[in-house]
Amino acid sequence: MITTRYFKSKIRPDSDLQYNSPWNIAADFDVCMHFSSEQIETMLAEYESDHQTGIVIPPVADEIYQYTAGYPYLVSAICKIMDETLSLQSALADSESIWSISGVREAVKILLKTRTTLFDSLIKHISEYTDMKQMLYTMLLHGEQIAYNEDNHTIELERV
């Protein structure tokens, strides 16, 4: 029987051997997990080479980035909706209008109406932290700007 610790040690070369903390804290790593607009363009270009939809890639990639800030789940979800859901709707029947700025906007509308674990988790956290809820309310509905202060506990909660 192979133990988990033994298995983990065989994934990396011995020189890179690193175990998780006994306190169940994973080792830190500095990897940007967000897509840039250029990376979204690359993904769309690969899709376009396979499907020949007529995408005008840069503006569509920029629009997706504007809605998602490159968050991988949201980028993928929007593209999936455009590919699978919008193609079945009559309002945007041809692939040129699906893979357009208006197609991105339609996909965002659908995504925002969809119940996802990401949105459920965000709502749960906003409900649990009344200070965060108030700060977001102030920023989003009243348009107030709140200066970043790393000593502000609520701001630190939002960064995590």
Side-chain angles (χ1 to χ4, degrees):
M1 176 181 217
I2 297 176
T3 65
T4 305
R5 184 168 292 218
Y6 175 80
F7 184 69
K8 285 180 186 177
S9 71
K10 295 302 173 192
I11 293 173
R12 295 186 183 104
D14 287 340
S15 62
D16 293 339
L17 183 62
Q18 184 175 12
Y19 294 111
N20 285 344
S21 161
W23 311 112
N24 199 23
I25 300 171
D28 288 339
F29 62 98
D30 273 337
V31 176
C32 178
M33 299 302 285
H34 289 76
F35 296 127
S36 67
S37 185
E38 292 78 21
Q39 290 169 317
I40 296 170
E41 282 184 31
T42 301
M43 292 168 44
L44 292 175
E46 289 177 20
Y47 180 86
E48 177 61 19
S49 72
D50 290 342
H51 296 89
Q52 290 81 38
T53 62
I55 304 172
V56 181
I57 294 171
V60 173
D62 287 341
E63 189 75 4
I64 292 171
Y65 184 82
Q66 291 301 313
Y67 278 104
T68 65
Y71 191 73
Y73 172 82
L74 296 174
V75 170
S76 297
I78 288 171
C79 291
K80 183 177 191 290
I81 291 168
M82 291 170 75
D83 181 46
E84 296 176 4
T85 305
L86 293 183
S87 63
L88 300 175
Q89 292 182 351
S90 59
L92 295 170
D94 65 278
S95 59
E96 283 188 35
S97 59
I98 291 170
W99 291 98
S100 64
I101 290 173
S102 61
V104 173
R105 292 175 182 164
E106 286 301 313
V108 168
K109 288 178 190 175
I110 292 168
L111 178 60
L112 291 174
K113 293 176 185 176
T114 305
R115 188 169 183 167
T116 68
T117 55
L118 173 65
F119 295 160
D120 288 346
S121 177
L122 288 171
I123 290 166
K124 180 182 112 183
H125 283 68
I126 289 169
S127 298
E128 287 176 358
Y129 297 99
T130 55
D131 290 346
M132 182 187 303
K133 182 177 182 177
Q134 184 58 45
M135 180 181 283
L136 290 170
Y137 182 85
T138 300
M139 289 169 39
L140 297 173
L141 298 179
H142 293 290
E144 292 182 32
Q145 293 186 2
I146 297 174
Y148 175 77
N149 178 350
E150 64 185 27
D151 295 329
N152 182 325
H153 178 67
T154 303
I155 291 174
E156 283 303 303
L157 282 173
E158 293 174 12
R159 284 189 41 195
V160 176

